[in-house]
Amino acid sequence: MRADYPGVAELSTPQQLSEFLAQAERRAYKQAQFAVRDEHVALDIVQDAMLKLAERYGDRPAEEFPMLFQRILQNTIRDYYRRQKVRSFWTTLMSSLAPQQDGEDFDPFDTLQDENNESQPARPDEALAQSQLIDVIEDALSKLPARQREAFLLRYWEEMDTAETAAAMGCSEGSVKTHCSRATHALSAMLKERGIDLS
Amino acid sequence: MNTKLTTQEIGSLLDQSTRQLDRRTLDQLQMARQHALHSQRVSVSTWVSQNGMLHGRLQLSARALNWIIAAVVASLLVINVTYWSNLSEHDHSDIDIAILTDDLPVDMYVD
């Protein structure tokens, strides 16, 4: 038994990685979708993150997977932002020579399908109210600044503590607290406008 | 809408929304997962003695492992072919020597 040797961590099995990815993929997809607001790009980001985790850290102890995966996911989202920044620079430069078109506001949550509702409440009015509530929350989360959203989701959705969140975000614990506090205030203000009190 | 929520309840609602993902997205996520698992880095560990006489860990991806296996099989094939061609050459040189020394075995005239 490898675990019998002092200082040697138990390595993960393919089964453990498979189980971890199966339970983490939906949340990861949602996080990516909040960040990029495009379901195809969100899927690409999650696929990239899963591939990087498997290729580079697939043999690490299973208890390290959540932290590593979050770190990889957030870095992959940031890489996407960087590429978008470069692309938009060139697009702006090129389009300054051509007539501008008014872009439409696109919100992927307007078209979020609900075909596989596994835990839908029995009453249709409750289901509708809950669905609307989720739409409002997701819309508000999408409008938060990237770092604030990241901190909020890691702390209150992934239920990481401050130290773990700081490690996943690559910043200090103080920064995590600041981001979380600002995110909660901003979210509270946005939700209050829609008649929801965040306590 | 007049509702009171805590951050924990927001987490629960977000979980609820992950359960409402459409079938197409779930299928694509599953495909991405399978693709990732196919590329998983695996470790081959060797532990010989408890006092640390010999222990090591070889880390490589499943894809790399497949390449290594293919390379080993190809090497064995090349070695095998080389061995048999050398053996055949050796047979011919034995016959050449036998002809030169006029010591050809009788069975060479059979057929």
Side-chain angles (χ1 to χ4, degrees):
Chain A
M1 288 285 286
R2 284 169 298 190
D4 294 341
Y5 293 87
V8 178
E10 185 72 34
L11 301 178
S12 63
T13 61
Q15 177 68 21
Q16 283 174 313
L17 181 64
S18 176
E19 283 168 9
F20 168 74
L21 290 178
Q23 62 94 19
E25 65 191 12
R26 293 184 187 202
R27 283 182 172 199
Y29 170 71
K30 276 287 178 183
Q31 283 190 45
Q33 204 180 26
F34 294 147
V36 300
R37 310 189 87 189
D38 181 310
E39 54 189 78
H40 298 293
V41 177
L43 274 168
D44 285 346
I45 287 172
V46 175
Q47 180 167 350
D48 274 0
M50 289 201 284
L51 199 60
K52 284 175 191 166
L53 178 75
E55 278 183 345
R56 298 178 194 171
Y57 307 103
D59 58 346
R60 297 288 281 267
E63 58 270 21
E64 290 182 19
F65 284 156
M67 181 72 74
L68 287 166
F69 186 59
Q70 277 305 325
R71 187 81 190 252
I72 292 168
L73 182 67
Q74 303 309 332
N75 285 339
T76 311
I77 291 170
R78 271 195 286 279
D79 286 345
Y80 169 78
Y81 283 145
R82 282 192 205 107
R83 284 198 301 272
Q84 281 296 102
K85 205 173 174 182
V86 174
R87 196 174 297 162
S88 71
F89 168 76
W90 286 107
T91 310
T92 310
L93 200 68
M94 295 300 175
S95 64
S96 63
L97 302 170
Q100 299 258 332
Q101 288 182 341
D102 287 333
E104 290 179 11
D105 284 338
F106 173 70
D107 188 348
F109 299 113
D110 289 342
T111 56
L112 193 66
Q113 294 176 35
D114 191 18
E115 292 169 1
N116 193 31
N117 193 347
E118 293 167 4
S119 57
Q120 193 176 25
R123 288 173 51 189
D125 57 334
E126 280 181 8
L128 180 66
Q130 193 179 61
S131 178
Q132 286 174 338
L133 191 57
I134 289 171
D135 283 350
V136 169
I137 291 166
E138 291 188 334
D139 189 44
L141 279 169
S142 300
K143 288 175 182 164
L144 283 178
R147 296 292 274 174
Q148 289 181 24
R149 180 178 52 246
E150 200 179 319
F152 184 88
L153 290 175
L154 291 176
R155 286 283 285 117
Y156 301 118
W157 195 19
E158 297 295 337
E159 294 176 345
M160 290 182 171
D161 60 30
T162 314
E164 288 170 335
T165 309
M169 289 178 67
C171 64
S172 67
E173 290 187 40
S175 297
V176 169
K177 286 176 187 167
T178 307
H179 287 314
C180 269
S181 169
R182 286 179 183 165
T184 311
H185 280 106
L187 206 56
S188 178
M190 279 190 274
L191 294 178
K192 204 174 181 82
E193 286 174 11
R194 312 289 291 267
I196 302 166
D197 281 332
L198 182 62
S199 52
Chain B
M1 196 183 289
N2 194 5
T3 317
K4 283 189 177 180
L5 280 180
T6 63
T7 50
Q8 285 78 16
E9 284 168 332
I10 286 182
S12 302
L13 285 166
L14 292 175
D15 279 335
Q16 174 73 22
S17 79
T18 63
R19 288 191 287 269
Q20 294 173 356
L21 289 175
D22 60 281
R23 174 52 51 196
R24 188 177 56 85
T25 305
L26 293 176
D27 288 345
Q28 283 174 318
L29 285 171
Q30 192 185 0
M31 276 169 58
R33 189 192 338 139
Q34 294 305 327
H35 182 59
L37 289 170
H38 185 68
S39 306
Q40 186 183 3
R41 183 189 179 101
V42 292
S43 284
V44 180
S45 303
T46 309
W47 306 104
V48 170
S49 65
Q50 198 160 5
N51 58 7
M53 284 292 284
L54 173 63
H55 56 85
R57 184 186 295 173
L58 174 67
Q59 296 177 320
L60 62 167
S61 71
R63 196 178 292 163
L65 197 64
N66 287 343
W67 277 109
I68 289 171
I69 291 168
V72 168
V73 169
S75 304
L76 287 174
L77 205 66
V78 168
I79 289 167
N80 208 16
V81 167
T82 311
Y83 172 77
W84 282 108
S85 73
N86 280 346
L87 198 68
S88 159
E89 255 177 43
H90 189 251
D91 282 351
H92 286 300
S93 60
D94 280 351
I95 293 167
D96 291 343
I97 291 167
I99 290 169
L100 288 171
T101 56
D102 200 17
D103 194 20
L104 209 55
V106 178
D107 61 331
M108 290 305 296
Y109 296 103
V110 179
D111 187 35

